[in-house]
Amino acid sequence: NCTRTISNGLSTNCEFNAFNQLTRIIQTRVAPLVAGVSIQADSELSSQFEAANANDQQSPQSSNSGEAFVSNTTDADHWLELELAQPTSVAALQIDIPVDHGYPAGLELSYFDAQDNQYKPLMVGFVAGAQILTGSAGTGSNRIAPRGPKLMVMVTPVITTRVRLLQPHGEAPPVQTNSVHPHALAVNELAVLSVSSDVTDLVYDDNGNLSSEGNREYQYDVENRVVRIIESGVLDLELVYGPDGALLREIDH
């Protein structure tokens, strides 16, 4: 069994054994990569709506704001591309859509493979705020259909210097939901997220007692009561019990 929760950029995965005991906690935190990132687009509506606005850590609610990026409004392919100062392991993206745009039918993600000198699909593993559009015969996909204004996209990690988001021709939001900038790219903020993970393993003894949790070890008496807690190999706490089994005192070390 495994459960997954996502909250405030923290993804938590929990694994259990056959006895439904928690055996592993994997916490993955994602945060926008700010330093060493530049951005470009196929074109801009005007200098007021330049591509630099799409990676400034600001997410205006309206695309009519001078702080928002807006592509030109031709009925064509539109894209945003992040260029990273050095090869970076990309595992997640954050995408923002202003509420006055509506949602496009589909967005495509790709990355530049320097070895093959070409763009390749950036495969999506999990996404919050959108639906993954699967490929033929149920295969994986680099296409998503937004269902909300803020998307958190976990992708199969790749090492690259360029990530591109494309809104294909004909997949812009319906004109009636985007009367301000019809046919424009329905994204005004794009960020690569840095990813860090912490793994905590939990081990149980033959009596079902939790014997270790990461760097913490628990020792028990014959009554299965915790008598010592050892932190990173050093005794941290002793617990003493009376004849009636009640805890008498705790001894800090």
Side-chain angles (χ1 to χ4, degrees):
N1 296 320
C2 184
T3 60
R4 165 177 277 180
T5 59
I6 294 182
S7 177
N8 296 323
L10 181 67
S11 171
T12 303
N13 288 280
C14 301
E15 298 177 3
F16 301 84
N17 62 19
F19 301 101
N20 206 33
Q21 294 170 313
L22 181 63
T23 57
R24 175 169 288 184
I25 302 172
I26 305 172
Q27 290 188 312
T28 303
R29 184 172 296 280
V30 294
L33 184 64
V34 178
V37 179
S38 58
I39 193 163
Q40 56 183 316
D42 62 307
S43 59
E44 302 155 352
L45 182 64
S46 70
S47 59
Q48 182 185 12
F49 302 102
E50 62 184 7
N53 290 330
N55 189 241
D56 61 0
Q57 310 305 306
Q58 302 294 323
S59 302
Q61 290 295 301
S62 168
S63 63
N64 206 32
S65 166
E67 299 176 353
F69 160 76
V70 181
S71 74
N72 71 34
T73 56
T74 56
D75 188 8
D77 287 355
H78 293 302
W79 52 264
L80 276 172
E81 181 174 284
L82 292 173
E83 185 166 357
L84 312 176
Q86 59 187 12
T88 302
S89 178
V90 175
L93 300 174
Q94 182 173 305
I95 301 169
D96 289 270
I97 299 173
V99 295
D100 63 347
H101 261 257
Y103 306 131
L107 298 172
E108 296 181 4
L109 304 176
S110 60
Y111 72 99
F112 184 72
D113 187 322
Q115 183 174 352
D116 292 342
N117 196 35
Q118 63 178 326
Y119 285 88
K120 293 184 177 180
L122 186 57
M123 306 306 287
V124 178
F126 178 83
V127 61
Q131 175 187 353
I132 300 175
L133 301 175
T134 56
S136 58
T139 59
S141 176
N142 69 325
R143 286 173 46 80
I144 56 175
R147 295 291 184 264
K150 186 175 288 291
L151 284 58
M152 184 74 70
V153 186
M154 307 299 289
V155 300
T156 301
V158 297
I159 296 177
T160 186
T161 57
R162 286 185 242 166
V163 174
R164 178 173 287 192
L165 177 148
L166 170 72
Q167 178 180 280
H169 165 67
E171 299 201 13
V175 173
Q176 61 267 27
T177 67
N178 187 16
S179 58
V180 178
H181 305 296
H183 306 302
L185 175 63
V187 172
N188 71 1
E189 189 75 16
L190 175 64
V192 168
L193 302 178
S194 61
V195 179
S196 59
S197 295
D198 291 315
V199 178
T200 302
D201 288 314
L202 297 91
V203 180
Y204 301 84
D205 62 23
D206 292 340
N207 293 324
N209 300 312
L210 178 64
S211 59
S212 67
E213 177 184 12
N215 294 324
R216 179 174 294 177
E217 179 184 347
Y218 301 93
Q219 296 181 354
Y220 300 82
D221 62 15
V222 294
E223 301 294 334
N224 292 313
R225 298 174 299 199
V226 177
V227 293
R228 295 182 189 86
I229 298 177
I230 299 172
E231 193 80 35
S232 299
V234 178
L235 180 61
D236 181 59
L237 183 69
E238 285 187 275
L239 297 96
V240 181
Y241 301 87
D244 60 353
L247 179 65
L248 288 180
R249 64 181 182 274
E250 298 179 359
I251 304 173
D252 290 315
H253 290 268

